[in-house]
Structure formats: structure tokens, C-alpha cells
Amino acid sequence: MMSKKSGSKDNKPGKDADIKFDTFIKQATKELANILKFWQLNTIDSSFGGFYGRRDHFNKLIPKAEKGIILNTRILWSFSAAGNFYGNTQYLEICERAFSYLKDKFKDEKYGGVFWMVDYKGLPSITRKQTYAQAFTIYSLSEYYKYSRNCAALEWGMEIFYQLEKITLDVNSGGYIESFKRDWQPIEDMRLSEKDLNASKSMNTHLHILEAYTTLFEVSGNKKVGSALEFLIHLILDRFMTEDYHFGLFFSNDWNSLSAEVSYGHDIEAAWLLVNAARKLGNKDLIRSAETNAISIADSFVMQALDKDFGVYNNIDLQSMKVDTDKHWWPQAEAVVGLLYVWNITGINKYLNIALKIWNFIDQAILDKINGEWFFRVNKDGVPYKNENKVGPWKCPYHNSRACMEIIRLLKQSGLN
């Protein structure tokens, strides 16, 4: 395992850091509190239960918006993780609300798994079974169980795990099939969203199965979950990662690549999630492999993904070499965490300093200091798009709250604060 010595002189922040080390912790701590407060104050639906499905860029409520499974599982995950992070019970009520709504409105009692979307009253509106959604349900239930010790959450998480392994796992070619009809029969259109390709296997889904199984293994100690997690680590490194340390995004059943697009956010997010998964398993060889690859992924990311203002570009098409220069909120968050992981592994201050500068970009361009929370995306010049959601099916508290918790944990772990 490649790790730096905590507290050594060489590991102190370099002179080119934009903000002081202790200031970084204080800012992340303050921002975590801001994020959680925003979601507590602005999303609870007292009329129809659960949480509102959408608020626009200006934080205006869209009261009859549909409610998505990703939004609802990420709310449960975020507040459960915050409760575990702080080590208190202050978020139990909102977590119990989120868990009950998932169980009462999204759980498919007939066929198992969870629906993709319900209407504002909680009635199923899109009933297909996205593997990605099942993974996020496992992730949130596992974190909630860790917080609440509600055995029903762990039992449900294990139930979905066994269903994924039985139905969605491709036993012939490896990997997990993207989507199914409500009754788990094959479906023609497997896309996760309109911007995705209609592919049977995607990096995005496998990455989030990875994080789901990581937490499920942590709380259950189940050997079958551990074996599935080890399989996933090897699969992502062997099938999805390219020779230049990017990750292919879309594949056919037999692993033909269907896209030349690279998502910078997913690259750097995968780097640290793979390390975290390997560490949870405790497999020294896997830890060494994941850490070595994380360094190479981070080096590629630093060379290609950053603008002069240290904002993270969205993606690049490696055929046309056209870069999408928009800067979405979530790759900024994942970049800070990924680079801090690599700094933690290597002790090389370059990674810390760049993480600091990306955080500074977040503070200057991504935080909405008028209406709260983070802008969905800004353009190359840092101007926010006003047609995006502040709360929505894909705009959730998960990436940024998790980043704040990881920043604080990693910096305190270093022993330098």
C-alpha cells in the first residue's frame, strides 16, 4: 500500500496553495452545513409526503413535478452519511421520512426493485427497472442502516443485491445489464437519460454498483457481496479503463466500445471509489493496483480536464477532440476528493494544491450565494445556466455533501491540521 507518513514536513501544503490548510477544513465544514440546511428547508413536501421533485435555478418550487428515485435515494444517503459523519441523531427524522417514502412509494411489491419515477402524489409514473437506480437504493439503504440500525433497511438492501446478481449480471460476458421492463424482462430502450447512448452496459452504472456494494459489504460483511465487489473492481479496471487512464462509457453485451466520449468527472470519481472499495475489502493486491491506477488517472486528469481557472470541463470526444467546456457542479466536487485521495497516497503536494484551487473555483463560480446550494453548471466563463434545476431528478445533495465530508476526513486524517 502506497501511503504517506501523516504529519511529516514534506506533506505540508505548498507555497502556491490558494488557501491555508485549516481554512480548507473550515470552509468545507461550513459548506456541508449550508448544503444540509438548504435541503432540509427547501425540499420537504408536507402535502403529499417525501420530498419535492423540482426547484428551478432561482429556487422556485415546481409543486407538481415528478419525483425521481435518484433524487430520493440520494437524499436518504446524504443525510444518513451526515449523521454518521457527525456521530449524532440530528438527522434521524429526515432519514426516516426518506426511507419510509422509498418503501411506500418506490418499492415494487410485485416484482421487486424500485420504480424509476413517481408523480407528485407518489403514484408510479415510470416503472422500468434501471440497474443504476437499484444500485443507488442499495447505497442509500446501507448508509441508512449504518446510521439507524434499522434492520429492515439492510434486509431490503440485501434483497435488491440478490435480485441484481440473479437478473442483471451477465454470467456469460461479465458485467451488469443496464435496464429492464418492470417485470425484469428485456427492454429495447435502455438509456439512463436522453443524453446517454442506448447501450446494454455503461461505466456509470457499474461505478455506482461499485459504491453500493462497497457500503453494503461494510455493513453486512456478507461474503457474496465481498466476492461481487472484488469482481467489480477487476471488471472496471480490465474492461472500462483504457490504456491512457480514461474510462470507456458505453459498451455492447460483448464489450465493443460504442463511444469515444470521456467524462472527466467519472474518471476522477472512479479513481477514488476504486481505492475505497479495495480498502474496504482489505485485499492488499487490489489496494496496490487501485492506488497505482488512481495516481495515473489523476495525472491524466490534471493534464487534460482543467481550465485555466481550475474549473473541471465536462467531457471530451476523443475522435473529434472536441471539448465540452461547460463546468457541471458534480465533477468539481469529485475532482477535489479524487485529488486529495491521491495526495493521501503519494504525499505529493501538487495534488493537494490543485484540489485547493478547484475548491476555490467552486467557491467563486459554483456556489449560489443568493439562492443557496450549487449551480447545476456554468459556462467556460463561469456564467451559470438559468434553465437548469436547483433540485431535480439529477440535482441532488449527494456529490457535494459527500465531497465536503471526504475533504474534512482526509485532511484531518493527514494529521496536519
Side-chain angles (χ1 to χ4, degrees):
M1 177 175 175
M2 304 168 63
S3 61
K4 64 188 180 66
K5 296 178 181 179
S6 296
S8 67
K9 183 177 179 181
D10 291 340
N11 294 324
K12 290 182 178 179
K15 294 180 180 179
D16 58 334
D18 286 349
I19 54 179
K20 293 181 179 180
F21 192 89
D22 57 347
T23 304
F24 198 0
I25 295 176
K26 290 177 182 177
Q27 288 186 353
T29 302
K30 180 181 178 181
E31 185 52 32
L32 176 59
N34 288 341
I35 293 165
L36 296 170
K37 184 177 180 181
F38 174 90
W39 287 85
Q40 283 180 299
L41 294 178
N42 291 281
T43 62
I44 292 176
D45 185 348
S46 299
S47 298
F48 297 101
F51 303 87
Y52 292 119
R54 186 182 166 210
R55 284 183 173 273
D56 70 9
H57 168 83
F58 302 99
N59 201 28
K60 179 183 176 183
L61 177 64
I62 313 299
K64 294 186 178 182
E66 290 183 304
K67 300 175 178 181
I69 184 64
I70 303 306
L71 173 62
N72 281 268
T73 52
R74 288 179 175 183
I75 288 173
L76 177 58
W77 183 90
S78 298
F79 282 99
S80 297
N84 288 321
F85 178 78
Y86 289 121
N88 59 41
T89 60
Q90 65 176 310
Y91 297 118
L92 267 180
E93 184 177 349
I94 195 168
C95 288
E96 288 167 358
R97 179 188 191 87
F99 172 70
S100 295
Y101 195 78
L102 285 174
K103 180 169 59 72
D104 295 341
K105 305 300 183 182
F106 282 95
K107 186 177 183 181
D108 187 342
E109 296 288 357
K110 184 174 182 179
Y111 294 107
V114 291
F115 302 126
W116 181 249
M117 194 79 68
V118 300
D119 68 13
Y120 74 98
K121 293 181 179 179
L123 299 174
S125 56
I126 301 177
T127 59
R128 71 175 186 264
K129 301 293 168 57
Q130 295 290 151
T131 303
Y132 180 101
Q134 316 310 313
F136 258 104
T137 305
I138 293 172
Y139 191 40
S140 66
L141 292 173
S142 301
E143 193 70 30
Y144 174 60
Y145 170 74
K146 191 196 305 186
Y147 183 39
S148 67
R149 293 298 161 180
N150 184 338
C151 292
L154 181 57
E155 290 170 5
W156 188 15
M158 289 300 303
E159 176 186 313
I160 298 175
F161 164 77
Y162 284 119
Q163 199 155 28
L164 289 187
E165 293 300 300
K166 180 180 179 181
I167 299 174
T168 73
L169 179 63
D170 182 347
V171 294
N172 295 316
S173 301
Y176 294 81
I177 304 300
E178 189 76 9
S179 185
F180 301 83
K181 294 178 181 178
R182 178 185 173 181
D183 61 359
W184 297 99
Q185 294 303 306
I187 193 171
E188 185 175 337
D189 187 351
M190 291 186 277
R191 293 176 299 168
L192 190 64
S193 70
E194 291 181 358
K195 66 185 180 70
D196 291 325
L197 293 184
N198 187 18
S200 60
K201 295 171 185 176
S202 75
M203 186 269 185
N204 195 14
T205 289
H206 283 75
L207 183 64
H208 294 297
I209 300 173
L210 176 82
E211 68 184 356
Y213 284 10
T214 299
T215 307
L216 183 62
F217 177 70
E218 180 186 356
V219 298
S220 71
N222 184 284
K223 291 182 179 180
K224 290 184 179 179
V225 178
S227 296
L229 180 58
E230 184 173 336
F231 165 79
L232 264 169
I233 295 172
H234 285 294
L235 183 77
I236 291 171
L237 291 174
D238 295 343
R239 288 293 191 182
F240 288 95
M241 192 171 71
T242 65
E243 292 182 356
D244 53 355
Y245 298 102
H246 293 300
F247 290 88
L249 295 183
F250 299 102
F251 292 83
S252 65
N253 263 356
D254 53 358
W255 296 106
N256 289 317
S257 179
L258 303 177
S259 171
E261 181 182 317
V262 164
S263 168
Y264 291 126
H266 286 108
D267 280 358
I268 198 66
E269 183 181 16
W272 77 265
L273 286 178
L274 285 162
V275 172
N276 186 49
R279 289 175 178 174
K280 288 289 191 275
L281 281 173
N283 184 315
K284 292 183 179 180
D285 290 336
L286 272 183
I287 292 169
R288 188 177 302 110
S289 175
E291 290 186 344
T292 301
N293 282 298
I295 297 166
S296 297
I297 294 164
D299 288 338
S300 175
F301 176 88
V302 167
M303 289 179 62
Q304 300 176 37
L306 299 176
D307 200 355
K308 292 179 181 179
D309 59 7
F310 287 89
V312 179
Y313 293 136
N314 187 38
N315 61 41
I316 184 172
D317 186 306
L318 293 178
Q319 281 188 333
S320 65
M321 297 308 291
K322 182 179 179 180
V323 177
D324 178 354
T325 58
D326 284 347
K327 298 157 187 177
H328 295 232
W329 93 100
W330 69 269
Q332 321 304 318
E334 296 301 337
V336 177
V337 178
L339 291 170
L340 286 180
Y341 256 78
V342 173
W343 170 68
N344 180 273
I345 292 165
T346 64
I348 298 174
N349 283 327
K350 173 183 74 172
Y351 303 109
L352 170 64
N353 289 324
I354 295 172
L356 288 167
K357 290 174 181 177
I358 297 171
W359 179 261
N360 193 48
F361 171 79
I362 291 170
D363 180 62
Q364 293 178 2
I366 300 295
L367 299 190
D368 185 344
K369 297 177 181 179
I370 296 175
N371 295 313
E373 243 281 339
W374 295 20
F375 296 125
F376 192 103
R377 61 179 172 138
V378 300
N379 67 16
K380 192 179 190 317
D381 298 320
V383 178
Y385 288 82
K386 296 181 180 180
N387 61 334
E388 298 283 12
N389 295 326
K390 186 61 63 68
V391 172
W394 294 103
K395 184 62 165 59
C396 318
Y398 143 81
H399 286 287
N400 51 3
S401 69
R402 185 173 70 175
C404 291
M405 287 182 267
E406 287 293 326
I407 289 165
I408 299 163
R409 184 184 66 80
L410 289 164
L411 295 181
K412 287 186 175 181
Q413 180 180 300
S414 72
L416 295 178
N417 59 304

